[in-house]
Amino acid sequence: MTEPATAAWRRPHDWAEVVLGVVAVLSFLWVDTTTKAMWAMIVLGALIALDGFLSLARPGLVYGEGLQIVLGALLFISPWVMGYTNLSGASWSSWILGGLTVIAGAAALPVANAAHGRMAGQH
């Protein structure tokens, strides 16, 4: 029987990453943004969601969780880098969603490593 960590589409960490990415993509609908802030959140959110889907489909891809951590960190620092710290709603959305993405990616990393190890034994 396939364990949840190695079964595709069953890992809650990756579903959380997909949801966080989608929320980042759609957050411009309920917070005030500038063009730069909106596109930073849309692009990074879409990449987070897409990588979450990739991790769901291929649970043994360890690099996907590392990429989630990097994308979450980029979303977290984007208010400073893109200059929208004066927009509190967009900034807090980026900080919270970015931080939660880093946490989800870090929590999924050991699970992905274990899945990778189990899958490597199947070859």
Side-chain angles (χ1 to χ4, degrees):
M1 176 164 208
T2 305
E3 294 182 33
T6 59
W9 306 104
R10 292 193 183 165
R11 294 190 354 202
H13 305 94
D14 297 327
W15 281 112
E17 294 164 356
V18 171
V19 170
L20 290 167
V22 169
V23 170
V25 167
L26 298 176
S27 63
F28 75 92
L29 296 173
W30 55 81
V31 297
D32 290 331
T33 63
T34 61
T35 302
K36 277 205 267 188
M38 179 182 72
W39 282 109
M41 294 171 72
I42 288 173
V43 169
L44 290 170
L47 291 172
I48 289 167
L50 288 172
D51 187 57
F53 275 124
L54 179 63
S55 294
L56 281 165
R58 304 284 309 269
L61 293 178
V62 179
Y63 75 86
E65 305 309 336
L67 182 59
Q68 280 294 356
I69 294 169
V70 170
L71 291 170
L74 289 174
L75 184 59
F76 186 85
I77 66 169
S78 66
W80 293 291
V81 174
M82 301 302 287
Y84 61 93
T85 54
N86 60 324
L87 301 168
S88 62
S91 294
W92 278 103
S93 293
S94 295
W95 293 326
I96 292 169
L97 295 169
L100 289 174
T101 301
V102 169
I103 291 168
L109 198 53
V111 178
N113 277 326
H116 180 73
R118 281 194 281 283
M119 293 172 83
Q122 297 174 359
H123 295 297

